Amino acid sequence: MQTNDRGPGREIRIEDLLRELAPQVLGALVRRSGRFDACEDAVQEALLAAARQWPEEGTPDNPRSWLLTVASRRLTDQLRTESARRRREELAASLDLSVPGEVSAHDDTLTLFFLCCHPSLSAPSQLALTLRAVGGLTTAEIASAFLVPEATMAQRISRAKERIRNAGVPFGMPPASERSDRLQVVLQVLYLIFNEGYTTSSGPDLNRSDLTTEAIRLTRMLHHLLPEEGEVAGLLALMLLTDARRAARTTADGSIVPLDEQDRNLWNVQQIEEGVAILTRTLGKVPVGSYQMQAAIAAVHDEAPSAEETDWPQILALYEVLERMSPGPVITLNRAVAVAMVNGPRAGLAVLGTLDRDDRMTHNHRLESVRAHLLERAGEFAAARDSYRKAARMTASMPEQRYLALKAARLA
């Protein structure tokens, strides 16, 4: 029996269901066959078949079993058409993939997270594979999200799967001794997906809500699988508290609105409340990590009634702890802003000066952008104008280019 209610809301529910089931079906198939690359292609074909059929024919009573059955048949077809026909057919027959029978309730989504973020893969490959295998996005959707041709993204995903196959990576949880480090890689991948969506590195738009929404969804999934992991909770809280400001970040024509000028009535109160609640449940109960500290800083911003009432001394104290915990140029850059807000722009500029010889910041427009802002606050308008112009030349984001060029023009 199949349900057959239709309409726009129905289509949305089917899409959400497919995204939720994609990693479960892929995990079940890989666990049985051991062929991640072939299984992933088969699952994608099953998802496409469901997207075409379910809106017209209705959602099956057991959609997970339906997808696994279709994906199993697709996998069997793939195995039979490979060059080593006889060996592949024998493997397919021994696995009995065409009739899955009772579907295990075991969920391998967490194992897929670790597999897609395997250290042997480059960061771009980890991003793409996570969105494809765990997120259930098509190659075209991922290519669109990262503004690259579909053929380029297809090649990237294909090479990633080939590397996993050639490395002989088993489908299973990493050893306990490696699990913590591998989890950090998973979190970093999710963080990168969110950041690319929140402030796109290039193109005409400041943000990509499809990417931020997907990053939050995947992190929420990971939090459900690992509810006791403080850094997973911290990352989810950070995403929610940051994304809550999205509606206020640009004007109707796409122009950037800096944080201190945003209309806080446009901030998403529900997301702020959820982020604060997750953070509150976590802090003090588990070892504090960098994502929790960043979430705490975001919470201080979000809970301030106005820009003038922001508790900058508390933010500075949190950044000082964060920098000791997880030192890096981006943290130092953000601390410089907090120092300027507490002790004046010249104090902030002194902190920025420590980054001038850091090769990691050579091509980062944010260093020049922050320098320009602090120089302007210090009354050094000519130097500020030059820094704004330099920052504008360094970014590929069109909204940031316009914002920085306009700031420079106003100081001419």
Side-chain angles (χ1 to χ4, degrees), residues 366-380:
R366 287 198 62 216
L367 176 58
E368 283 304 316
S369 177
V370 172
R371 193 196 317 276
H373 175 65
L374 298 187
L375 285 169
E376 182 180 1
R377 286 191 58 208
E380 299 186 28

PDB file of all heavy atoms in Angstrom, residues 366-380:
ATOM      1  N   ARG A 366      40.239  39.741   4.594  1.00  0.00           N
ATOM      2  CA  ARG A 366      39.680  40.182   5.870  1.00  0.00           C
ATOM      3  C   ARG A 366      40.701  40.938   6.706  1.00  0.00           C
ATOM      4  O   ARG A 366      40.344  41.836   7.473  1.00  0.00           O
ATOM      5  CB  ARG A 366      39.140  38.982   6.664  1.00  0.00           C
ATOM      6  CG  ARG A 366      37.848  38.405   6.093  1.00  0.00           C
ATOM      7  CD  ARG A 366      37.143  37.545   7.127  1.00  0.00           C
ATOM      8  NE  ARG A 366      36.755  38.335   8.283  1.00  0.00           N
ATOM      9  CZ  ARG A 366      36.783  37.881   9.534  1.00  0.00           C
ATOM     10  NH1 ARG A 366      37.214  36.667   9.793  1.00  0.00           N
ATOM     11  NH2 ARG A 366      36.408  38.650  10.535  1.00  0.00           N
ATOM     12  N   LEU A 367      41.987  40.587   6.597  1.00  0.00           N
ATOM     13  CA  LEU A 367      43.011  41.308   7.356  1.00  0.00           C
ATOM     14  C   LEU A 367      43.030  42.770   6.946  1.00  0.00           C
ATOM     15  O   LEU A 367      43.022  43.668   7.796  1.00  0.00           O
ATOM     16  CB  LEU A 367      44.380  40.663   7.131  1.00  0.00           C
ATOM     17  CG  LEU A 367      45.568  41.380   7.807  1.00  0.00           C
ATOM     18  CD1 LEU A 367      45.364  41.483   9.313  1.00  0.00           C
ATOM     19  CD2 LEU A 367      46.875  40.637   7.489  1.00  0.00           C
ATOM     20  N   GLU A 368      43.035  43.037   5.633  1.00  0.00           N
ATOM     21  CA  GLU A 368      43.036  44.421   5.161  1.00  0.00           C
ATOM     22  C   GLU A 368      41.706  45.103   5.456  1.00  0.00           C
ATOM     23  O   GLU A 368      41.660  46.311   5.732  1.00  0.00           O
ATOM     24  CB  GLU A 368      43.325  44.465   3.663  1.00  0.00           C
ATOM     25  CG  GLU A 368      44.771  44.252   3.309  1.00  0.00           C
ATOM     26  CD  GLU A 368      45.701  45.240   4.014  1.00  0.00           C
ATOM     27  OE1 GLU A 368      45.387  46.455   4.061  1.00  0.00           O
ATOM     28  OE2 GLU A 368      46.739  44.794   4.535  1.00  0.00           O
ATOM     29  N   SER A 369      40.625  44.367   5.406  1.00  0.00           N
ATOM     30  CA  SER A 369      39.316  44.938   5.689  1.00  0.00           C
ATOM     31  C   SER A 369      39.217  45.402   7.142  1.00  0.00           C
ATOM     32  O   SER A 369      38.754  46.517   7.427  1.00  0.00           O
ATOM     33  CB  SER A 369      38.222  43.908   5.391  1.00  0.00           C
ATOM     34  OG  SER A 369      36.945  44.411   5.733  1.00  0.00           O
ATOM     35  N   VAL A 370      39.661  44.553   8.058  1.00  0.00           N
ATOM     36  CA  VAL A 370      39.642  44.930   9.477  1.00  0.00           C
ATOM     37  C   VAL A 370      40.613  46.079   9.732  1.00  0.00           C
ATOM     38  O   VAL A 370      40.313  47.027  10.478  1.00  0.00           O
ATOM     39  CB  VAL A 370      39.989  43.718  10.357  1.00  0.00           C
ATOM     40  CG1 VAL A 370      40.172  44.143  11.818  1.00  0.00           C
ATOM     41  CG2 VAL A 370      38.893  42.660  10.258  1.00  0.00           C
ATOM     42  N   ARG A 371      41.780  46.027   9.091  1.00  0.00           N
ATOM     43  CA  ARG A 371      42.749  47.112   9.261  1.00  0.00           C
ATOM     44  C   ARG A 371      42.142  48.442   8.803  1.00  0.00           C
ATOM     45  O   ARG A 371      42.277  49.474   9.469  1.00  0.00           O
ATOM     46  CB  ARG A 371      44.018  46.814   8.468  1.00  0.00           C
ATOM     47  CG  ARG A 371      45.184  47.748   8.854  1.00  0.00           C
ATOM     48  CD  ARG A 371      46.316  47.729   7.837  1.00  0.00           C
ATOM     49  NE  ARG A 371      46.649  46.402   7.371  1.00  0.00           N
ATOM     50  CZ  ARG A 371      47.474  45.553   7.998  1.00  0.00           C
ATOM     51  NH1 ARG A 371      48.037  45.917   9.144  1.00  0.00           N
ATOM     52  NH2 ARG A 371      47.732  44.375   7.487  1.00  0.00           N
ATOM     53  N   ALA A 372      41.459  48.407   7.660  1.00  0.00           N
ATOM     54  CA  ALA A 372      40.828  49.625   7.146  1.00  0.00           C
ATOM     55  C   ALA A 372      39.806  50.164   8.133  1.00  0.00           C
ATOM     56  O   ALA A 372      39.743  51.380   8.400  1.00  0.00           O
ATOM     57  CB  ALA A 372      40.161  49.337   5.804  1.00  0.00           C
ATOM     58  N   HIS A 373      38.987  49.281   8.701  1.00  0.00           N
ATOM     59  CA  HIS A 373      37.964  49.695   9.655  1.00  0.00           C
ATOM     60  C   HIS A 373      38.586  50.345  10.884  1.00  0.00           C
ATOM     61  O   HIS A 373      38.119  51.409  11.352  1.00  0.00           O
ATOM     62  CB  HIS A 373      37.143  48.475  10.061  1.00  0.00           C
ATOM     63  CG  HIS A 373      36.136  48.742  11.131  1.00  0.00           C
ATOM     64  ND1 HIS A 373      35.056  49.577  10.957  1.00  0.00           N
ATOM     65  CD2 HIS A 373      36.067  48.286  12.418  1.00  0.00           C
ATOM     66  CE1 HIS A 373      34.354  49.625  12.080  1.00  0.00           C
ATOM     67  NE2 HIS A 373      34.946  48.860  12.980  1.00  0.00           N
ATOM     68  N   LEU A 374      39.655  49.735  11.399  1.00  0.00           N
ATOM     69  CA  LEU A 374      40.286  50.292  12.605  1.00  0.00           C
ATOM     70  C   LEU A 374      41.035  51.592  12.294  1.00  0.00           C
ATOM     71  O   LEU A 374      41.053  52.516  13.126  1.00  0.00           O
ATOM     72  CB  LEU A 374      41.229  49.258  13.220  1.00  0.00           C
ATOM     73  CG  LEU A 374      40.569  47.960  13.706  1.00  0.00           C
ATOM     74  CD1 LEU A 374      41.575  47.087  14.455  1.00  0.00           C
ATOM     75  CD2 LEU A 374      39.361  48.252  14.593  1.00  0.00           C
ATOM     76  N   LEU A 375      41.647  51.673  11.118  1.00  0.00           N
ATOM     77  CA  LEU A 375      42.304  52.925  10.724  1.00  0.00           C
ATOM     78  C   LEU A 375      41.279  54.054  10.596  1.00  0.00           C
ATOM     79  O   LEU A 375      41.536  55.197  11.003  1.00  0.00           O
ATOM     80  CB  LEU A 375      43.035  52.736   9.392  1.00  0.00           C
ATOM     81  CG  LEU A 375      44.345  51.939   9.449  1.00  0.00           C
ATOM     82  CD1 LEU A 375      44.821  51.587   8.040  1.00  0.00           C
ATOM     83  CD2 LEU A 375      45.427  52.742  10.203  1.00  0.00           C
ATOM     84  N   GLU A 376      40.119  53.729  10.047  1.00  0.00           N
ATOM     85  CA  GLU A 376      39.058  54.733   9.937  1.00  0.00           C
ATOM     86  C   GLU A 376      38.617  55.195  11.323  1.00  0.00           C
ATOM     87  O   GLU A 376      38.443  56.406  11.556  1.00  0.00           O
ATOM     88  CB  GLU A 376      37.873  54.161   9.166  1.00  0.00           C
ATOM     89  CG  GLU A 376      36.743  55.168   8.962  1.00  0.00           C
ATOM     90  CD  GLU A 376      35.570  54.586   8.202  1.00  0.00           C
ATOM     91  OE1 GLU A 376      35.609  53.390   7.838  1.00  0.00           O
ATOM     92  OE2 GLU A 376      34.592  55.338   7.961  1.00  0.00           O
ATOM     93  N   ARG A 377      38.459  54.277  12.242  1.00  0.00           N
ATOM     94  CA  ARG A 377      38.059  54.646  13.612  1.00  0.00           C
ATOM     95  C   ARG A 377      39.143  55.473  14.294  1.00  0.00           C
ATOM     96  O   ARG A 377      38.838  56.317  15.150  1.00  0.00           O
ATOM     97  CB  ARG A 377      37.785  53.387  14.435  1.00  0.00           C
ATOM     98  CG  ARG A 377      36.484  52.674  14.080  1.00  0.00           C
ATOM     99  CD  ARG A 377      36.161  51.622  15.115  1.00  0.00           C
ATOM    100  NE  ARG A 377      36.052  52.220  16.437  1.00  0.00           N
ATOM    101  CZ  ARG A 377      36.307  51.585  17.585  1.00  0.00           C
ATOM    102  NH1 ARG A 377      36.709  50.327  17.556  1.00  0.00           N
ATOM    103  NH2 ARG A 377      36.191  52.201  18.741  1.00  0.00           N
ATOM    104  N   ALA A 378      40.406  55.233  13.901  1.00  0.00           N
ATOM    105  CA  ALA A 378      41.512  55.987  14.490  1.00  0.00           C
ATOM    106  C   ALA A 378      41.703  57.346  13.836  1.00  0.00           C
ATOM    107  O   ALA A 378      42.575  58.122  14.248  1.00  0.00           O
ATOM    108  CB  ALA A 378      42.799  55.177  14.403  1.00  0.00           C
ATOM    109  N   GLY A 379      40.928  57.666  12.809  1.00  0.00           N
ATOM    110  CA  GLY A 379      41.024  58.956  12.140  1.00  0.00           C
ATOM    111  C   GLY A 379      42.068  59.011  11.048  1.00  0.00           C
ATOM    112  O   GLY A 379      42.334  60.091  10.495  1.00  0.00           O
ATOM    113  N   GLU A 380      42.677  57.891  10.690  1.00  0.00           N
ATOM    114  CA  GLU A 380      43.681  57.853   9.623  1.00  0.00           C
ATOM    115  C   GLU A 380      42.984  57.500   8.307  1.00  0.00           C
ATOM    116  O   GLU A 380      43.061  56.377   7.799  1.00  0.00           O
ATOM    117  CB  GLU A 380      44.780  56.848   9.961  1.00  0.00           C
ATOM    118  CG  GLU A 380      45.530  57.183  11.241  1.00  0.00           C
ATOM    119  CD  GLU A 380      46.712  56.267  11.494  1.00  0.00           C
ATOM    120  OE1 GLU A 380      47.280  55.751  10.492  1.00  0.00           O
ATOM    121  OE2 GLU A 380      47.065  56.059  12.664  1.00  0.00           O
TER     122      GLU A 380
END
